[in-house]
Amino acid sequence: MSVTLNNNFQQIKLLYETEIKHLTNDLRLTKEEYETSRRKYFEIYNKLAGINEQLQEEIKEKKQTREELAIRLRYEEGLANYSRTLMIVDENSIPPALHHLLNASQVSRVYIFENFEEKKDGLCMRLKNETCAKGVTNQMDDPELQHIPYNRDLKRWAARLAKRNSIIGVFEDFNKSEQKFLISRSISSILVIPIFVNEKWCGIIGFDDIFNKRRWGEVDIRLLETAGEIMGVFLERKIAEEKLIEAKKLAEQANQLKSQFVFNVSHEMRTPLNCIIGFAETILNSQSIDENRQYANTVLQQSDMLLMLISDLLDMAKIEAGKMVIEHMPLDLYKILERLYNSLKVQAVQKGLELKVDTEKDVFRYLVGDELRLLQVLMNLGGNAVKFTEQGTVTIKVQTVSSDDKSATLKFSVMDTGIGIPREKQQDIFKSFTQADGSITRKYGGTGLGTTIACQLIELMGGLCGLESEPNKGSHFWFTIPMEISSKAKISATPLKGIQSVPSSFMNQSGFILLAEDYPPNKKITLMHLENAGYTVDTVENGLQAIAACKNKQYDLILMDVQMPDMDGYEATRKIRAGKSRNKNKPIIAITAYADATSISSCKEAGMNDIIVKPIRRDSFLLVINKWMPVQSGGFKYNHAKKAGKKESRIKSAPMDYEKAILEFGGNKSALDNVIKQFIENMDNQISVFKNALKSNDIEKFRTEAHRIRGGAANLTAEQLAAVAENMEELAIKGNLDKAGACMDEFEKEFEKFKAYIFELYRN
């Protein structure tokens, strides 16, 4: 177009110059000719003016186009640098990226505000990053910009921004409340663009001019809105990378914990195995019956530790695989607590601790639930309480939280006066593979699995668990479980207080038992327990032989291993039940290494009456046998312990009941004797502590020692000594140290009687 206009202009100019020359040379023009010529000249002039105006307009358009192109190129270069900078996902990438936008947009300030919720003011924003032009003051240190509620002056902004609309305009374009905000920041013109992260409005990127009332062009708006979208993508990547880093960190921590766990498990398994192997070799080479008895007790204890560890590992695997099944069977809560007390008491006595098991009056005795898992949880928490307590008391308490005609929610509390747990470590106690402190493992042992399993079992039973603890003062672990009330339930009129161990005896007529077991060591152990108890036993090695034996002879009871060659125990039981032998309706008890719901169900479906879980422990094994054997006159009586001696029965009002104490210690005479020896040794020192406390008028020290002696004496069934210590403790609690001190003579006399009794007992 410009070339055509230029050519026309040159032609008209030439014509105009020719006519002027002709007019100048020819002076003989008429008036009419002159007017005609003048009109031609004006036409030429107007054409020239029009062409000139077109040229100026074209020049202006070209200049504007060049300026727009320059702005666009500046923006595109700025956005390219901005995007390139944000490719590095790091908080430090944001300031230089904003600087590129500042150069591209040529504004006074570029900034990012992030949204946050505040209870009082609702949705607010705060300044996170800002870049300013030369001569403009940075606002990052302004505290007012760290808390700007939208609902104060910027309600309209919040509504538009949440819908992905930008805020654009000069000062006069805004309402009074918005102008108030703009004045406080000296803003003449502003462009605010929302930032969305994962489809959620999380903040803004803003551009303002404090010197000019800048009108934002289409290029400004479109390209800067693109910058807002890029910032949203950057923040999404940043959040994803932070999550990835956190996940990696957690995975590394988990691997470290599992590595430590494997190390702990290896140590915990090797320790009892080393003892078992070592003492087994010693027993083989020893000729002393007493020594062998002590070594055998140690082997038994270490075997229990190893079995408990293996059980924990199997339980953890079941729980993580989602295969742990919770039973719903009738149970006797008192029997569970009694078993708990008897299991914990030996260790408590050995450490000089007082062990209490109490229930409130309104606790139902007969309930429906998983007896095995409930006892497992209580054993874990109670065992830890005893393990981590060096002196004082371990208390296990049961109370009713709520109840109706069909169900009750019970709260079980396990309280101790032990080492306690720091607050910052308490949240880790219920996590897998962790203990509160690495030094705990080194000092006390353990894998960190027990409490985790206990908590997960509680959750599987529909309950909740928690803890309260203070270092050096003790811990209180608690859990609540909803349980159905059994049809035979009744409220206990007298709650359990300090459960005592019940003597373990089995009154049975010598009977005939068939034992079906293929593994020689298991057969030998089972046969030994049965024959020592007075039973006559026939043995077979598989189900086929068991069926044949039942056809030829009548038995009082059949013990059936479930896994045997040729025919397993399940099939053999079904055939015996379906046959016509005299043993068709006799009790059949399964022997199995599995105690899960599936195995128990399979035993019942096959027609078995009960189940004994390997490894076989003599006392619990004979209890089951006693349960199913018919009782007749002239029965056999099995006791855990031998009588202490003839002399003991001749002592009137003996300072302790030695036979009862042996039963309390589960028949472990060696353990009892060690505790008695330690008790006497400690007592000589404690009497000195008593006397020093009296001299220094230290009531609390006197009370503490009396409390410890009271618990230790009671655990040894030294009731008279325990009663004097209790009296001294109560007087000290009342602040009457003089009267408490006056009891010292009586206390020392009782202690001398106790020592004399023990010395005479051992001499006989």
Side-chain angles (χ1 to χ4, degrees):
M1 177 182 176
S2 59
V3 175
T4 305
L5 285 172
N6 190 47
N7 291 337
N8 291 340
F9 178 76
Q10 293 298 331
Q11 291 174 9
I12 293 171
K13 181 180 178 184
L14 180 63
L15 177 62
Y16 179 75
E17 289 174 349
T18 302
E19 289 296 332
I20 290 295
K21 185 177 180 182
H22 174 73
L23 184 60
T24 304
N25 294 333
D26 191 357
L27 300 174
R28 294 171 296 174
L29 293 175
T30 63
K31 184 177 180 180
E32 185 178 345
E33 288 174 335
Y34 176 77
E35 288 295 329
T36 301
S37 296
R38 191 168 71 83
R39 282 197 299 273
K40 286 182 180 181
Y41 300 151
F42 274 112
E43 288 175 2
I44 293 170
Y45 177 79
N46 289 334
K47 284 183 179 181
L48 284 172
I51 291 170
N52 183 56
E53 187 177 343
Q54 282 182 298
L55 283 172
Q56 293 299 323
E57 186 66 30
E58 184 178 345
I59 291 169
K60 184 178 178 181
E61 287 179 0
K62 283 185 175 181
K63 183 179 179 181
Q64 185 176 348
T65 301
R66 282 197 298 272
E67 288 176 353
E68 288 179 354
L69 183 60
I71 292 171
R72 185 181 183 88
L73 289 173
R74 191 175 71 239
Y75 269 119
E76 288 177 351
E77 182 181 1
L79 277 175
N81 292 331
Y82 168 80
S83 300
R84 195 178 301 112
T85 304
L86 292 180
M87 287 182 71
I88 301 172
V89 182
D90 188 278
E91 188 73 30
N92 295 325
S93 300
I94 296 178
L98 295 184
H99 189 74
H100 289 308
L101 290 183
L102 181 75
N103 292 336
S105 59
Q106 295 187 344
V107 293
S108 302
R109 294 181 293 230
V110 180
Y111 36 74
I112 291 176
F113 281 80
E114 74 170 356
N115 292 343
F116 68 96
E117 286 285 345
E118 207 266 344
K119 211 168 192 180
K120 180 181 177 183
D121 296 321
L123 186 63
C124 304
M125 63 176 175
R126 58 182 161 227
L127 183 62
K128 289 291 290 182
N129 301 92
E130 183 179 57
T131 300
C132 302
K134 191 175 180 179
V136 178
T137 304
N138 191 291
Q139 306 173 104
M140 284 299 296
D141 295 330
D142 189 342
E144 292 184 2
L145 294 180
Q146 295 304 310
H147 187 275
I148 302 175
Y150 281 103
N151 62 12
R152 191 171 297 170
D153 297 318
L154 305 174
K155 285 183 179 180
R156 187 180 69 90
W157 287 23
R160 286 184 56 79
L161 292 166
K163 295 180 180 179
R164 297 181 181 269
N165 296 316
S166 299
I167 306 298
I168 309 165
V170 297
F171 178 81
E172 288 77 14
D173 296 335
F174 296 97
N175 61 40
K176 288 184 179 180
S177 64
E178 294 164 350
Q179 287 179 353
K180 179 183 174 183
F181 171 75
L182 296 176
I183 290 172
S184 68
R185 301 293 113 196
S186 304
I187 297 172
S188 298
S189 178
I190 192 168
L191 170 60
V192 178
I193 297 162
I195 297 174
F196 278 79
V197 176
N198 297 321
E199 300 301 318
K200 181 182 178 182
W201 175 41
C202 69
I204 63 159
I205 181 169
F207 307 82
D208 69 34
D209 197 323
I210 63 174
F211 302 111
N212 305 300
K213 293 185 178 181
R214 173 175 177 167
R215 289 291 178 182
W216 302 90
E218 184 181 341
V219 174
D220 295 316
I221 297 168
R222 187 174 67 255
L223 294 178
L224 292 179
E225 284 181 342
T226 301
E229 292 175 3
I230 293 171
M231 181 57 70
V233 172
F234 167 81
L235 293 175
E236 285 178 4
R237 289 174 57 214
K238 182 170 177 289
I239 291 170
E241 189 163 302
E242 286 172 352
K243 288 181 178 179
L244 187 62
I245 292 170
E246 182 64 23
K248 183 182 177 184
K249 184 179 177 182
L250 291 173
E252 289 172 350
Q253 289 176 349
N255 282 334
Q256 289 176 357
L257 288 172
K258 287 189 176 181
S259 296
Q260 183 63 42
F261 168 72
V262 170
F263 175 81
N264 290 346
V265 167
S266 175
H267 174 77
E268 291 295 314
M269 293 184 79
R270 286 174 182 272
T271 300
L273 276 174
N274 182 59
C275 289
I276 291 167
I277 294 169
F279 280 109
E281 290 176 341
T282 305
I283 289 170
L284 290 174
N285 296 318
S286 173
Q287 301 299 320
S288 170
I289 295 176
D290 290 337
E291 284 184 358
N292 282 345
R293 185 182 296 278
Q294 291 180 8
Y295 297 152
N297 280 330
T298 303
V299 169
L300 198 59
Q301 291 167 6
Q302 297 300 314
S303 300
D304 284 340
M305 289 175 58
L306 190 58
L307 179 62
M308 190 178 298
L309 176 59
I310 293 170
S311 296
D312 280 349
L313 291 171
L314 293 174
D315 283 344
M316 194 67 194
K318 279 184 184 179
I319 291 170
E320 290 189 342
K323 294 184 177 180
M324 178 65 76
V325 178
I326 298 299
E327 297 270 335
H328 292 280
M329 303 290 288
L331 60 85
D332 184 338
L333 181 61
Y334 282 16
K335 287 187 177 180
I336 293 174
L337 296 176
E338 185 177 13
R339 288 176 63 188
L340 174 68
Y341 179 85
N342 291 333
S343 297
L344 298 178
K345 186 166 185 179
V346 173
Q347 188 182 356
V349 170
Q350 289 173 343
K351 297 185 73 172
L353 304 177
E354 184 177 7
L355 178 64
K356 298 179 181 178
V357 179
D358 295 333
T359 66
E360 292 189 349
K361 290 183 178 181
D362 60 347
V363 172
F364 286 89
R365 175 173 179 174
Y366 299 103
L367 300 158
V368 176
D370 194 321
E371 179 177 349
L372 177 65
R373 298 307 174 187
L374 178 57
L375 180 60
Q376 182 179 350
V377 171
L378 289 169
M379 281 292 295
N380 175 266
L381 299 180
N384 282 345
V386 174
K387 181 199 291 188
F388 297 119
T389 303
E390 296 302 328
Q391 61 179 12
T393 306
V394 172
T395 303
I396 298 165
K397 188 174 183 179
V398 189
Q399 56 195 124
T400 302
V401 177
S402 62
S403 65
D404 54 33
D405 293 339
K406 295 183 179 179
S407 64
T409 298
L410 302 184
K411 181 178 181 181
F412 296 81
S413 298
V414 179
M415 298 165 281
D416 64 62
T417 56
I419 60 175
I421 304 165
R423 184 176 294 275
E424 64 273 13
K425 298 288 186 180
Q426 291 178 15
Q427 60 182 0
D428 296 330
I429 287 297
F430 297 110
K431 292 180 181 178
S432 300
F433 318 119
T434 60
Q435 287 187 325
D437 187 345
S439 62
I440 296 296
T441 301
R442 293 189 291 274
K443 182 175 180 180
Y444 294 99
T447 61
L449 271 185
T451 312
T452 303
I453 293 172
C455 184
Q456 292 179 338
L457 287 175
I458 290 164
E459 290 176 356
L460 286 173
M461 289 187 282
L464 298 170
C465 60
L467 77 104
E468 300 154 14
S469 184
E470 191 172 342
N472 303 318
K473 289 191 176 181
S475 301
H476 173 197
F477 283 81
W478 60 266
F479 63 93
T480 58
I481 294 182
M483 304 182 80
E484 295 177 34
I485 299 171
S486 174
S487 57
K488 61 187 257 186
K490 58 182 178 181
I491 297 178
S492 172
T494 54
L496 292 176
K497 294 288 182 182
I499 300 173
Q500 298 297 314
S501 178
V502 177
S504 178
S505 61
F506 305 94
M507 295 295 295
N508 295 97
Q509 182 182 14
S510 297
F512 293 97
I513 295 176
L514 174 64
L515 171 62
E517 169 65 76
D518 65 302
Y519 187 55
N522 287 347
K523 182 190 294 185
K524 187 174 182 179
I525 292 169
T526 309
L527 188 61
M528 179 180 66
H529 290 329
L530 291 171
E531 289 181 341
N532 286 344
Y535 297 110
T536 301
V537 185
D538 289 344
T539 62
V540 294
E541 295 183 356
N542 58 51
L544 290 173
Q545 292 178 8
I547 294 170
C550 286
K551 290 179 180 177
N552 299 326
K553 190 174 181 179
Q554 182 175 348
Y555 296 98
D556 296 309
L557 182 144
I558 300 167
L559 289 172
M560 186 78 72
D561 185 29
V562 297
Q563 291 187 343
M564 294 181 292
D566 298 329
M567 180 183 289
D568 62 33
Y570 300 124
E571 184 64 23
T573 300
R574 279 191 284 267
K575 289 188 178 296
I576 291 170
R577 295 296 188 215
K580 297 180 179 180
S581 74
R582 292 171 291 174
N583 297 293
K584 178 178 181 179
N585 297 316
K586 295 295 182 179
I588 301 178
I589 301 174
I591 301 178
T592 177
Y594 305 103
D596 58 284
T598 303
S599 298
I600 293 171
S601 177
S602 298
C603 290
K604 289 181 178 178
E605 288 174 3
M608 295 174 174
N609 300 87
D610 210 333
I611 183 171
I612 292 172
V613 181
K614 299 175 186 176
I616 290 174
R617 299 302 303 272
R618 181 186 61 177
D619 294 350
S620 58
F621 171 69
L622 291 175
L623 273 171
V624 177
I625 301 301
N626 178 73
K627 174 182 174 182
W628 293 101
M629 284 295 290
V631 178
Q632 297 179 13
S633 60
F636 169 79
K637 182 175 182 179
Y638 166 79
N639 284 311
H640 283 277
K642 296 178 182 178
K643 291 189 180 290
K646 295 180 180 179
K647 185 68 177 177
E648 179 187 358
S649 63
R650 292 199 297 266
I651 298 176
K652 296 182 180 180
S653 302
M656 75 172 287
D657 187 339
Y658 189 78
E659 185 174 357
K660 181 180 178 183
I662 292 176
L663 295 174
E664 292 283 356
F665 276 69
N668 192 336
K669 181 177 179 294
S670 176
L672 172 62
D673 292 343
N674 287 333
V675 172
I676 291 173
K677 181 181 177 183
Q678 185 181 5
F679 179 77
I680 292 173
E681 289 173 354
N682 290 342
M683 185 66 74
D684 291 328
N685 179 60
Q686 284 176 302
I687 289 174
S688 298
V689 174
F690 270 134
K691 291 178 178 179
N692 290 333
L694 286 172
K695 288 179 182 179
S696 60
N697 202 33
D698 190 341
I699 294 178
E700 182 56 28
K701 186 65 176 175
F702 190 94
R703 185 204 66 77
T704 301
E705 290 303 313
H707 178 80
R708 292 179 64 191
I709 292 171
R710 169 195 170 189
N715 287 331
L716 292 173
T717 68
E719 303 297 343
Q720 296 172 31
L721 187 60
V724 177
E726 182 179 7
N727 186 37
M728 292 164 67
E729 180 186 9
E730 290 176 354
L731 289 170
I733 291 171
K734 294 175 181 178
N736 198 334
L737 194 58
D738 291 337
K739 285 188 177 181
C743 295
M744 277 299 298
D745 289 340
E746 182 184 0
F747 175 78
E748 289 185 79
K749 287 178 183 178
E750 287 298 332
F751 178 54
E752 289 302 323
K753 287 181 183 178
F754 176 80
K755 284 200 296 184
Y757 169 81
I758 294 298
F759 293 153
E760 186 176 1
L761 181 68
Y762 288 165
R763 193 163 52 245
N764 290 279

